[in-house]
């Protein structure tokens, strides 16, 4: 009973998280409908999205103690320390990328503001460093918990994050216009684009 309740909450949080996140990164579009309060409401939606990520994390931990009965083994076929090494190899670069993206985005990470200028720093090389770092933390956490089921489940977050990034870019095009379009053409979304050498 606990296992199924936990899994149901995990599914619901996984569905609601991108819905609130997409709302939180749509201030320009929402402003056309409800005015400047859209920016304040987007901040509240970002808080809800963050709370849902916390719920997902708690669900992952509870799943370790209360797994579903599935054909998958309960743990990986190797020792936990191997999972730790794999998790660190993926998690450290992901966390660093997320930290740098958060630092360079500044206040806009949580609270969108109409007067905010386009980002600089790592954003000169990649458009979504926070998302790239953050999405890898889901499988990292699953691997740390030594759970094949959670590792497979965490792959769901990759298409979810792609959809969220696409939605965010549509709103950024409304906010910044052609300057953002030009930025997209020269800057990779998830990986740096190869820079053309001057002739």
């Amino acid at each position: 009973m606990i296992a199924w309740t936990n899994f149901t909450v995990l599914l619901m949080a996984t569905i609601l998280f991108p819905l609130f996140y997409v709302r939180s990164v749509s201030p320009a579009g929402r402003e056309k409908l409800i005015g400047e309060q859209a920016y304040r409401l987007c901040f509240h939606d970002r808080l809800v999205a963050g709370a849902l990520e916390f719920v997902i994390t708690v669900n992952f931990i509870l799943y370790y103690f209360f797994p579903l009965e599935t054909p998958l083994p309960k743990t990986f076929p190797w020792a936990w320390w191997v999972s730790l090494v794999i998790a660190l190899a993926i998690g450290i670069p992901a966390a660093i990328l997320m930290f740098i993206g958060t630092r360079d985005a500044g206040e806009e990470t949580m609270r969108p503001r109409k007067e905010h200028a386009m980002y600089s720093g790592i954003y000169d090389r990649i458009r979504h460093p926070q998302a790239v770092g953050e999405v890898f933390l889901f499988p990292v956490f699953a691997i740390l918990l030594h759970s094949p089921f959670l590792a497979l489940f965490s792959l769901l977050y990759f298409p979810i994050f792609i959809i969220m990034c696409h939605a965010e870019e549509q709103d950024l095009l409304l906010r910044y216009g052609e300057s953002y379009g030009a930025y997209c053409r020269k800057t990779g979304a998830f990986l740096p684009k190869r820079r053309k050498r001057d002739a």
Side-chain angles (χ1 to χ4, degrees):
M1 180 66 178
I2 294 175
W4 276 106
T5 301
N6 180 59
F7 182 66
T8 302
V9 173
L10 173 60
L11 277 179
M12 293 303 299
T14 298
I15 292 166
L16 291 172
F17 163 60
L19 295 177
F20 277 93
Y21 186 85
V22 166
R23 284 170 53 91
S24 81
V25 295
S26 304
R30 290 171 76 180
E31 183 184 25
K32 291 179 180 294
L33 299 173
I34 62 173
E36 287 197 22
Q37 66 174 329
Y39 286 83
R40 179 176 50 81
L41 294 176
C42 285
F43 168 63
H44 294 153
D45 287 335
R46 187 73 55 89
L47 291 176
V48 173
L52 287 164
E53 277 192 290
F54 177 75
V55 170
I56 290 167
T57 303
V58 171
N59 292 141
F60 269 43
I61 294 168
L62 287 173
Y63 188 90
Y64 175 80
F65 295 104
F66 303 101
L68 294 176
E69 291 297 326
T70 71
L72 292 171
K74 288 196 172 30
T75 63
F76 290 113
W78 52 77
W80 179 80
W81 69 264
V82 176
S83 289
L84 175 64
V85 170
I86 294 168
L88 290 174
I90 300 168
I92 290 173
I96 290 170
L97 186 60
M98 187 177 163
F99 171 79
I100 293 170
T102 301
R103 180 198 66 196
D104 291 352
E107 185 181 24
E108 185 82 2
T109 295
M110 284 302 293
R111 187 185 294 272
R113 293 195 182 280
K114 189 172 181 176
E115 64 275 8
H116 193 277
M118 283 175 55
Y119 311 145
S120 58
I122 196 169
Y123 289 89
D124 290 337
R125 303 287 299 167
I126 181 174
R127 300 198 308 267
H128 299 287
Q130 292 182 68
V132 173
E134 188 174 354
V135 73
F136 278 98
L137 296 181
F138 290 95
V140 162
F141 202 47
I143 293 167
L144 274 176
L145 290 169
H146 208 45
S147 170
F149 178 85
L150 289 176
L152 284 174
F153 186 86
S154 69
L155 298 179
L156 284 173
Y157 296 102
F158 285 87
I160 286 172
F161 270 71
I162 290 170
I163 291 166
M164 293 190 314
C165 289
H166 177 73
E168 182 174 15
E169 293 205 326
Q170 298 312 299
D171 199 76
L172 290 169
L173 283 166
L174 283 176
R175 288 172 74 180
Y176 300 116
E178 176 50 29
S179 60
Y180 189 78
Y183 164 72
C184 288
R185 289 190 290 275
K186 72 175 186 180
T187 310
F190 306 112
L191 292 170
K193 278 189 177 178
R194 201 168 166 186
R195 303 279 173 151
K196 293 181 181 176
R197 291 185 179 172
D198 295 332

